[in-house]
Amino acid sequence: MADASRPLLLYVEDEPLIREFGIAAFEDAGFAVVALHSGAEAVSVLDDRGTDFKALITDIDLAPGPDGWVVAKHARERVPDLPVVYVSGGSSGAWSSMGVPGSIMVVKPYAAAQLVVAVSTAMLESATQASKTP
């Protein structure tokens, strides 16, 4: 069971070593993490419990199943103000045209601190936008 005092992240990464690296970085920074290896898993979890998550971090090039672009769009259909951070080595150039509004791109390879700062920034920006909405 996740600690309710720790913000819960949904992290989608199909490369096992990178996924473990990300989990460790997020947990060390005080987050709880649900880590998945496919876009299909992510869509299913978002359907079941999308509002539980404080942010989505997704690789773009996921295999098999929906890619990160689709996962993020699906997430925003379920939770319109959900912060989204994309990570990619090869597809980052398409972010400006394919990414959801207000998202952040982190290009691989990255340092653990970059990933944590990107998520924290996305969450802060989302909270700031929400407080401006009447």
Side-chain angles (χ1 to χ4, degrees):
M1 181 177 285
D3 180 349
S5 67
R6 297 171 49 170
L8 183 62
L9 306 177
L10 179 58
Y11 178 44
V12 189
E13 172 59 65
D14 60 340
E15 294 291 333
L17 292 176
I18 297 172
R19 188 172 54 249
E20 291 304 316
F21 171 80
I23 291 168
F26 293 131
E27 289 178 346
D28 287 349
F31 294 101
V33 182
V34 171
L36 306 173
H37 72 274
S38 75
E41 281 184 311
V43 167
S44 178
V45 168
L46 285 162
D47 285 342
D48 291 343
R49 48 187 294 223
T51 57
D52 291 350
F53 300 103
K54 301 301 180 194
L56 166 67
I57 305 89
T58 184
D59 186 16
I60 294 170
D61 300 315
L62 300 168
D67 62 22
W69 305 125
V70 172
V71 170
K73 287 178 179 143
H74 187 79
R76 286 284 182 84
E77 289 170 1
R78 299 294 181 264
V79 186
D81 58 346
L82 185 69
V84 172
V85 174
Y86 296 103
V87 295
S88 183
S91 296
S92 60
W95 172 58
S96 62
S97 62
M98 298 290 292
V100 296
S103 60
I104 294 175
M105 170 61 70
V106 178
V107 178
K108 293 178 182 176
Y110 48 79
Q114 287 176 282
L115 194 57
V116 170
V117 167
V119 170
S120 299
T121 300
M123 290 172 62
L124 182 59
E125 288 176 0
S126 178
T128 301
Q129 291 292 30
S131 69
K132 292 180 182 177
T133 304

